[in-house]
Amino acid sequence: MARLDEVQAGQVASGTPRLVADFPTAEFGDHHDHRRSATPSTRPLRAEQDLRLRLAQLALREGDAAAAREALELLRQEVPLSPDPLRFAVEHALASAYERLGQLQAAIELLEDLRERAEQNPAAFAWLVIVMDLARCYRETGDLHRAADIAE
């Protein structure tokens, strides 16, 4: 598998990202698969973005939250703000990176925004996942009252 820095530097063979299109999107299952909405002209770009998301998620799982945050912040700038499951997955992973780096206020702000968008379109986004992550961040900041309010 290509390393995160190789993908960002464009050193991955052009066929590599297309292989990722065979897998469901990230942690949210097939019903959040952003590739279905890609047009033929945008599929290669979306596949590459999906690969970069997966590599950043792998970096998070492996404990390299700083590298994941850097990659996800770059990817977030490329993906349009819309009810786009890819944007949701990028921002959710970015919030996780912020949390793991101890940047709880940044994680909370991002999760609050995601929660608001998920409430407007619960079928498209993993609303419960966001709420639980948000409650955990508030708990970690010591705001147990807010954490309990959100978790209810």
Side-chain angles (χ1 to χ4, degrees):
M1 177 173 243
R3 290 189 355 233
L4 184 60
D5 57 341
E6 292 172 339
V7 173
Q8 289 173 333
Q11 297 171 353
V12 178
S14 62
T16 303
R18 288 190 188 94
L19 298 175
V20 175
D22 296 333
F23 300 101
T25 299
E27 301 165 16
F28 302 107
D30 288 327
H31 64 284
H32 293 287
D33 190 350
H34 66 273
R35 289 176 302 274
R36 293 183 196 156
S37 62
T39 64
S41 64
T42 62
R43 281 189 188 121
L45 175 62
R46 297 292 280 206
E48 186 228 341
Q49 291 169 335
D50 186 54
L51 176 62
R52 290 170 50 205
L53 169 62
R54 289 168 184 278
L55 289 171
Q57 289 170 329
L58 179 61
L60 273 174
R61 281 191 288 275
E62 296 295 319
D64 194 351
R69 180 197 62 211
E70 183 179 328
L72 291 163
E73 285 174 343
L74 290 171
L75 188 54
R76 184 180 185 208
Q77 294 173 11
E78 296 173 21
V79 179
L81 179 59
S82 65
D84 184 336
L86 176 61
R87 175 70 180 233
F88 171 84
V90 167
E91 290 181 338
H92 184 256
L94 183 56
S96 294
Y98 287 149
E99 180 184 0
R100 291 180 189 176
L101 291 169
Q103 299 173 342
L104 296 175
Q105 191 56 44
I108 287 169
E109 289 171 10
L110 193 50
L111 288 167
E112 287 282 8
D113 181 58
L114 286 171
R115 180 176 68 145
E116 183 178 308
R117 292 192 329 228
E119 287 172 350
Q120 295 169 3
N121 193 357
F125 302 126
W127 181 83
L128 182 59
V129 172
I130 295 167
V131 169
M132 298 310 293
D133 288 352
L134 186 56
R136 186 180 58 249
C137 284
Y138 275 116
R139 185 191 70 219
E140 289 176 19
T141 65
D143 191 346
L144 299 180
H145 179 70
R146 183 76 175 127
D149 285 346
I150 287 174
E152 290 180 351

